[in-house]
Amino acid sequence: MKNIVLPLMALCVFLTTAFIGTPAHAGDYDKISFSVGYFDVFDDEGAMDMRAEYRWADPLIWQIKPMAGIEYTSDGSGWVGTGLYYDYHFGNNFFLTPSLAVGLYNDGGGKDLGHVIEFRSQIEVGYEFENASSVSAGLSHISNASLDDENPGAEVLSLYYHMPVGMLFQNAQ
């Protein structure tokens, strides 16, 4: 399964460059985010990790915004959750995005993380294109925060592609 991660990451980069167009700013649009990565990157039990997230543009408080997502691994584990994120822009088109989410986890045939409730903390660094789509690399940690005696946790290294929701429908007319 490790052999498929690189081609999927290349596909994400291709999709990003294929949609470059109208100038905009990331903070102005709700975004749909897709990622592919490697689950449990620092352990031998690794698996391919795939995610889809919806990130709202309107802040709840200050510039902290809501998000919801689903995650699935090639060994059958899954997570669905919701949380908060913050986009910090620096330079012309670069950004740093920390996030924190809580969700429900099912280990399927994958790693047992010790509890059905799992927290995900993540940091991303990325680049935004002129049309408000972007790519980023993220490192996340999933853990039950000691809700159970067993709390092995897992780290995930991901490559994201983020696109404004409107881009899905601009060619449908």
Side-chain angles (χ1 to χ4, degrees):
M1 213 57 195
K2 292 179 186 180
N3 295 338
I4 197 166
V5 173
L6 232 68
L8 286 175
M9 288 182 169
L11 178 63
C12 285
V13 172
F14 167 76
L15 288 173
T16 299
T17 57
F19 289 111
I20 295 173
T22 312
H25 189 277
D28 300 336
Y29 300 99
D30 288 358
K31 295 217 176 183
I32 294 179
S33 303
F34 300 101
S35 81
V36 63
Y38 196 71
F39 184 88
D40 216 11
V41 70
F42 300 122
D43 199 351
D44 291 337
E45 297 179 40
M48 188 170 88
D49 183 86
M50 297 156 283
R51 297 180 183 178
E53 298 174 359
Y54 193 96
R55 298 182 181 192
W56 284 269
D58 294 330
L60 293 175
I61 185 169
W62 300 300
Q63 290 301 313
I64 299 172
K65 304 168 190 175
M67 61 174 278
I70 187 165
E71 179 176 356
Y72 185 76
T73 68
S74 60
D75 58 10
S77 63
W79 179 89
V80 60
T82 187
L84 302 170
Y85 74 100
Y86 174 80
D87 282 327
Y88 174 76
H89 294 270
F90 60 95
N92 288 334
N93 296 78
F94 294 95
F95 62 90
L96 184 71
T97 303
S99 63
L100 181 61
V102 61
L104 302 175
Y105 178 78
N106 182 325
D107 62 18
K111 187 172 184 176
D112 181 2
L113 294 179
H115 204 276
V116 69
I117 297 174
E118 295 290 331
F119 298 89
R120 185 183 87 187
S121 54
Q122 178 170 276
I123 189 77
E124 292 172 64
V125 63
Y127 181 84
E128 180 182 290
F129 297 98
E130 291 179 6
N131 68 346
S133 67
S134 58
V135 290
S136 63
L139 180 64
S140 59
H141 174 73
I142 299 174
S143 164
N144 66 41
S146 297
L147 292 175
D148 193 274
D149 290 337
E150 186 178 335
N151 184 22
E155 285 71 38
V156 182
L157 184 61
S158 301
L159 179 63
Y160 275 90
Y161 172 67
H162 312 277
M163 63 191 263
V165 173
M167 285 179 71
L168 289 173
F169 308 107
Q170 74 184 24
N171 293 329
Q173 299 169 355

